[in-house]
Amino acid sequence: QVQLVESGGGVVQPGRSLRLSCAASGFTFGSYDMHWVRQAPGEGLEWVARISYDNSKTYYPDSAKGRFTISRDNSKNTLYLQMNSLRADDTAMYYCARDSWGPDMWGQGTMVTVSS
Amino acid sequence: DVVLTQTPLSSAVTLGQPAAISCRSSQSLVHSDGNTYLTWLQQRPGQPPRLLIYKVSKRLSGVPDRFSGSGAGTDFTLMISRVEAEDVGVYYCMQPSQFPHTFGQGTKLEIK
């Protein structure tokens, strides 16, 4: 069945880096744009990044620009989010989502906690 | 950036009664391709979000027909015709059309 499984979260100190992964299965991964969306504890949803189906275009909000990098390996059906210079306010559940006129399929998320 | 403002922020509804959530955009969401890309998502407690409605009014496969979306330009509405217990959660509008993509603040739906 169609599935997205995130991994790579954990506890990290401020200023350090972390790379999240999202393994896709059950659909033609290379045909879809993909998103990362995060949710701080008890808060709403925040869009973090988007990448085109062919890896040619990436998009970020100002809060992620320059620190986060979205990428993908279509041969491995995997999406990535490289996060550098992490701050306490990056603490959140990070979800990957497939795009089809909007984020139509979501993973269960991976938790990132930035704390000393 | 496009700001999406949802009202109400919380709603308590009797089982079997209708519920309506409004989403107002600070800019027109009509894309250059002529489509309007406004989506509605449901997040049940402890679960990831789930897409209900895309392109204003199109229900995703498997979404019950008691959910409907309407609107145009800058004003949009999610309607639940008869609320059921499984509808409890937070509902978000989201625009995947302009960058940065943005979400509404969320509307918490509870059973009265």
Side-chain angles (χ1 to χ4, degrees):
Chain A
Q1 75 278 24
V2 178
Q3 197 171 9
L4 296 169
V5 179
E6 301 93 337
S7 61
V11 179
V12 61
Q13 292 180 328
R16 303 298 291 261
S17 299
L18 206 60
R19 189 176 86 154
L20 307 182
S21 299
C22 169
S25 59
F27 65 100
T28 307
F29 179 69
S31 296
Y32 292 86
D33 285 16
M34 296 293 294
H35 302 273
W36 285 101
V37 176
R38 69 183 180 182
Q39 185 171 36
E43 300 296 325
L45 300 170
E46 181 186 10
W47 174 74
V48 171
R50 175 173 177 165
I51 188 167
S52 63
Y53 66 98
D54 60 356
N55 232 339
S56 64
K57 298 176 186 175
T58 57
Y59 309 89
Y60 306 92
D62 286 346
S63 59
K65 223 172 273 185
R67 295 191 305 126
F68 292 4
T69 302
I70 188 172
S71 62
R72 65 193 297 163
D73 186 336
N74 287 345
S75 69
K76 295 182 178 179
N77 290 341
T78 303
L79 176 73
Y80 303 101
L81 184 68
Q82 177 69 41
M83 303 186 294
N84 299 330
S85 304
L86 284 163
R87 311 185 296 229
D89 62 358
D90 294 318
T91 293
M93 182 72 80
Y94 285 74
Y95 297 101
C96 64
R98 184 181 76 174
D99 185 81
S100 182
W101 298 302
D104 73 327
M105 175 62 55
W106 295 65
Q108 291 295 314
T110 187
M111 186 68 199
V112 173
T113 302
V114 183
S115 173
S116 54
Chain B
D1 297 2
V2 174
V3 176
L4 298 178
T5 302
Q6 291 183 226
T7 54
L9 296 182
S10 65
S11 180
V13 181
T14 301
L15 287 173
Q17 294 300 302
I21 300 170
S22 170
C23 177
R24 179 163 288 179
S25 173
S26 62
Q27 303 174 27
S28 171
L29 296 183
V30 179
H31 193 268
S32 54
D33 66 6
N35 290 304
T36 301
Y37 296 99
L38 187 282
T39 66
W40 289 98
L41 302 109
Q42 175 196 60
Q43 188 174 30
R44 291 171 171 151
Q47 295 294 313
R50 167 198 179 198
L51 186 72
L52 299 175
I53 303 284
Y54 64 97
K55 287 206 279 188
V56 179
S57 61
K58 298 189 182 303
R59 253 189 322 273
L60 199 66
S61 176
V63 173
D65 61 7
R66 64 179 182 276
F67 291 94
S68 63
S70 63
T74 60
D75 286 291
F76 306 93
T77 302
L78 175 70
M79 283 286 306
I80 309 174
S81 59
R82 294 173 304 279
V83 170
E84 298 188 4
E86 66 179 18
D87 300 336
V88 165
V90 181
Y91 291 80
Y92 296 91
C93 57
M94 182 248 186
Q95 65 83 16
S97 175
Q98 299 183 34
F99 293 101
H101 298 337
T102 47
F103 290 89
Q105 320 97 298
T107 295
K108 187 173 184 179
L109 181 68
E110 298 173 310
I111 303 300
K112 194 183 295 183

